[in-house]
Amino acid sequence: MSRPIAPEGIAPELDIVASDAGHTDSIVKTPPVQVDDVPVVAPVRREEPVVTRKELWSYYLYYNGDNGVGPNGYSMTLFQSLATSAGYDPVNGPGSSCTAATSSGKCVLPWGSGTKAVSSIVLVASGVSFAIMTLIFTTIGSAADYGTFGRWLLLVITVICWGAQFASMSLTSPSRWGVAMALYMIAFITYGATLVFYAALFPRLARNTPHARSLRERLDSGEITVEVYETEESMEKNRISNISTMHSNIGYIVTLALNLSLLLPLANNPKVDNYVLVLTTGYWIWAALKQYKKLPYTFTYLVAFFLLADGLNTTGTLINICQNDKFEFSFCTTPIWASPRPPHPRSGITGLSPSPVRHRSRTARSTLGFWYIQKYWKIPTKKMFVVTNVVTIMIPLWGMIGIWTPRLGFHNVWEFWAYNVVFGLFQAPYYAFSQTMMAELTPPGFDNMFFGLFGLSNRASSMIGPNVVQAIVDNTGDNWKGFPFLFALCAAASVVIWFGVDVPAGRRDAVAWAHKHRSYAETGLIGDDESVDAKELVGRS
């Protein structure tokens, strides 16, 4: 392959490299490399120093603490537990208990001028939370690319999330279920936002590691081909994404282990769950569409992933509701292999709930396993992502079976164990590869802008699923009737990603788009740029 050259008349760009003393120096580099008349490496004028090992580990450790045990797990369980205790059985009338041995299995709370099922209220809270996240990501998301706003935004939403979880100490009686709902929503919204703005930092880290800088220099000097550069750069992104995801699961395990120091000795204390939320947050503190035609594959992926994440997120919520509906609410029996419990008054089921300790240890090993397989055989990100998509589709499909028989379909203890095993093996890599896919399709220098949209497609995606499912549950009184809709949603979205997203073409579209709008790297604003599209530079028809 001949050496790609830059078109004449383009001024050389400034790049930043590390000197021997560890400082950064500005040097003149060659114009952006092009292949087939499209830039491969976009010039980014904002100074981005070489990423040190300490900075990379800081990134890993934040994710280690931001693992979601509190805002994504315990907060919802505490909210649903208080709501169930405050509710009554609609069959037996007001004043009855939803957890009594004579309960019909239904539970409602006063809602507006009538009543609403507790399961539906939980889904409404999730849906509203995702809608608010959508507002955040589509308004201030892109502003995080400008100056130091991004780092301050991440700090502020992190502190708010901590505060909401510390406030859970006030949730001591069923009458405060409304406050529990509000705190759950605040914690969940800010937790989702931290993940999005944290993830937006990773493309910048990946393109500025010593290895990535070396690759770029070798590409500029003609030592390697464009194909080799793109493959190796993709592997560098996957390395950071998979290792950070592994650290999140390790943090999850450590957090649960710390929680046991309270859950076991204080098992009979009615406030132990509140204490655990505070401890969980303390650990985190310690670890502390106008461009569619230009970026068709990027936006196709965003829309399809929006639907896929909507289906997956709602599926997880629905499975948790099914589990909490059948088994007693307890933080202690959730994170450990506990002693057998007495039969649940409604289901009569005796057994153990799935163990997140084992689940997270599997996810950590699985994430590394997927990464080593990908690294050894140089498998493209999309193919790895497709494998995890298949499992995503199968989860709600299994839940559908529960509509027709009580023997299968998330009616038994072993099925929740199996779900945790499958989820641990495939869904942690799913999150890692989906993030890498987004990084592949994101214009360099516009990371927060597009990861804000990715947050809309990922953490804030569940606006359709919860609302449709809660309507189905309200009309049928059967939680399992929501699974067919979620199966169809996940399947349709996966097909679009499999056959409608060309990652190599999308990557080059993104680089060309960034090249055209390169003034944003200096001003933080997108305006009428003096440069033209890379295709126009050479008069490509």
Side-chain angles (χ1 to χ4, degrees), residues 33-95:
V33 177
Q34 297 199 6
V35 60
D36 296 332
D37 306 332
V38 178
V40 175
V41 182
V44 180
R45 289 187 176 180
R46 182 191 298 163
E47 294 189 358
E48 295 179 350
V50 174
V51 175
T52 65
R53 184 179 180 84
K54 181 178 179 181
E55 289 170 328
L56 202 54
W57 272 97
S58 297
Y59 180 79
Y60 293 153
L61 289 176
Y62 180 88
Y63 206 9
N64 183 283
D66 194 14
N67 53 64
V69 173
N72 201 35
Y74 288 165
S75 292
M76 176 183 171
T77 300
L78 186 59
F79 159 42
Q80 190 175 350
S81 175
L82 293 178
T84 301
S85 297
Y88 64 89
D89 187 337
V91 175
N92 297 325

Side-chain angles (χ1 to χ4, degrees), residues 82-334:
L82 293 178
T84 301
S85 297
Y88 64 89
D89 187 337
V91 175
N92 297 325
S96 60
S97 173
C98 294
T99 59
T102 57
S103 172
S104 67
K106 298 180 179 180
C107 189
V108 298
L109 278 167
W111 188 267
S113 58
T115 61
K116 200 172 193 64
V118 169
S119 297
S120 295
I121 292 175
V122 174
L123 287 166
V124 167
S126 296
V128 172
S129 297
F130 286 119
I132 295 174
M133 277 192 265
T134 299
L135 181 65
I136 293 173
F137 298 149
T138 55
T139 53
I140 65 175
S142 62
D145 283 315
Y146 182 62
T148 61
F149 181 71
R151 71 184 69 171
W152 286 107
L153 178 62
L154 180 60
L155 175 62
V156 169
I157 58 179
T158 298
V159 171
I160 293 175
C161 189
W162 292 342
Q165 291 176 83
F166 279 130
S168 66
M169 286 297 296
S170 66
L171 305 176
T172 56
S173 66
S175 63
R176 297 181 180 177
W177 71 267
V179 178
M181 178 178 177
L183 291 177
Y184 159 70
M185 291 175 64
I186 294 172
F188 188 59
I189 291 166
T190 50
Y191 165 68
T194 62
L195 292 184
V196 169
F197 293 117
Y198 155 87
L201 300 174
F202 127 76
R204 187 183 305 174
L205 290 175
R207 65 173 174 260
N208 288 292
T209 62
H211 179 59
R213 286 293 185 86
S214 174
L215 287 172
R216 180 163 179 166
E217 291 174 0
R218 292 171 64 193
L219 176 65
D220 289 340
S221 65
E223 295 180 34
I224 59 175
T225 64
V226 168
E227 289 78 9
V228 171
Y229 173 80
E230 290 182 334
T231 299
E232 292 297 325
E233 185 192 44
S234 177
M235 290 297 111
E236 186 73 349
K237 290 175 181 176
N238 276 286
R239 179 180 73 88
I240 295 176
S241 180
N242 279 282
I243 292 177
S244 62
T245 302
M246 179 198 70
H247 273 283
S248 175
N249 288 290
I250 291 175
Y252 200 104
I253 295 170
V254 173
T255 303
L256 291 176
L258 286 173
N259 292 342
L260 294 182
S261 66
L262 290 177
L263 288 171
L264 294 180
L266 299 178
N268 297 322
N269 189 314
K271 297 182 180 180
V272 65
D273 292 347
N274 306 73
Y275 298 151
V276 165
L277 271 173
V278 171
L279 180 61
T280 298
T281 308
Y283 175 77
W284 180 7
I285 295 175
W286 177 86
L289 290 178
K290 288 166 66 175
Q291 300 295 334
Y292 174 77
K293 292 182 179 179
K294 296 288 185 180
L295 301 167
Y297 298 113
T298 301
F299 282 93
T300 297
Y301 175 68
L302 284 169
V303 172
F305 190 71
F306 176 94
L307 298 176
L308 179 63
D310 192 341
L312 178 62
N313 291 340
T314 309
T315 297
T317 301
L318 187 57
I319 291 174
N320 285 336
I321 289 173
C322 292
Q323 177 180 329
N324 290 335
D325 222 23
K326 281 187 168 291
F327 308 111
E328 63 179 297
F329 296 98
S330 171
F331 285 6
C332 191
T333 54
T334 296

